[in-house]
Amino acid sequence: HTHTHTDTAHCKTNAIMRVSLLFSPDVEAMRAMYTHFASVESPEMISLRDEVIANRKPRRLVVQHVTKVGADGESVDLVSFEPTTQGLIESFVARYPPTDDEVAALAEKDLASTKPAFL
């Protein structure tokens, strides 16, 4: 079955109107809308849903690369990490040293200027 431009526009209008319910204090209407769109009733759709869930892929992690000055002091090396939770942690650790003397000095200076008299 083919859809026309009018059908698409009508669907978009209905979706926008339904989303506007999200700003409504009518909790029952919002619950009814959610239940309508979240429920899977036909056996064909249930089997399709099961297939989609069975074939779903894990969420992709975006892990930042790190650049470092090369051993020769002039080149730049790009360090990459695996797109896993472990790679995410390794990337964070590589970008942020455990201690940063400049930041620590600024924190000490800020603490000294804002320290209450009774401490």
Side-chain angles (χ1 to χ4, degrees):
H1 132 14
T2 61
H3 294 283
T4 64
H5 177 69
T6 308
D7 292 335
T8 305
H10 180 70
C11 289
K12 287 179 183 178
T13 301
N14 283 341
I16 291 170
M17 287 172 44
R18 287 190 173 107
V19 167
S20 69
L21 282 174
L22 296 173
F23 298 103
S24 167
D26 188 352
V27 174
E28 288 307 315
M30 292 189 318
R31 183 174 286 125
M33 180 186 78
Y34 176 80
T35 302
H36 171 73
F37 285 109
S39 64
V40 179
E41 296 173 5
S42 76
E44 180 183 313
M45 288 295 146
I46 290 174
S47 67
L48 183 60
R49 177 184 180 274
D50 292 341
E51 186 176 337
V52 168
I53 289 173
N55 292 314
R56 90 176 146 197
K57 297 188 181 353
R59 290 186 180 186
R60 195 183 87 172
L61 286 175
V62 178
V63 180
Q64 290 184 350
H65 301 283
V66 175
T67 55
K68 293 186 175 186
V69 176
D72 62 4
E74 301 209 6
S75 63
V76 176
D77 296 331
L78 179 67
V79 182
S80 297
F81 302 92
E82 292 294 319
T84 62
T85 307
Q86 180 69 28
L88 188 68
I89 293 168
E90 290 171 359
S91 171
F92 184 87
V93 168
R95 285 180 286 122
Y96 300 104
T99 59
D100 187 331
D101 295 334
E102 185 179 351
V103 172
L106 288 171
E108 288 291 329
K109 182 179 175 184
D110 187 47
L111 183 62
S113 66
T114 59
K115 191 173 186 181
F118 59 86
L119 288 181

